[in-house]
Amino acid sequence: MAEHHTGPAEVGAPMDYKEHEQTYIMFLAAAKYGTLFLVALLLGMTAGFFAGAGFLGGLVVMLIVFIAGLVLLR
């Protein structure tokens, strides 16, 4: 019933490790900059809604935080 294989466990097409590594690097970059954008957006919304800065003030806060984050995460 059970077959005992003594050969390699990989079957099918060989793995493209270079492509796998590039995909992982792109995923990490998307997660890093996506998180930065969401944090900047939330801080801008907080400044706009609760600190009385209004829409333009919140937008300015969001842009400042986002640009500062881009410089720091480079």
Side-chain angles (χ1 to χ4, degrees), residues 7-74:
E10 292 185 20
V11 293
M15 291 292 294
D16 186 3
Y17 290 106
K18 189 70 170 170
E19 184 67 28
H20 175 76
E21 185 176 332
Q22 288 298 328
T23 303
Y24 182 66
I25 289 170
M26 287 191 308
F27 170 76
L28 287 180
K32 179 170 64 171
Y33 293 115
T35 301
L36 171 64
F37 175 75
L38 290 177
V39 167
L41 179 65
L42 288 174
L43 288 174
M45 289 172 65
T46 302
F49 291 137
F50 299 117
F55 176 74
L56 292 178
L59 185 64
V60 168
V61 168
M62 185 187 90
L63 289 175
I64 289 172
V65 170
F66 187 68
I67 291 170
L70 287 176
V71 170
L72 292 174
L73 288 178
R74 205 170 11 128

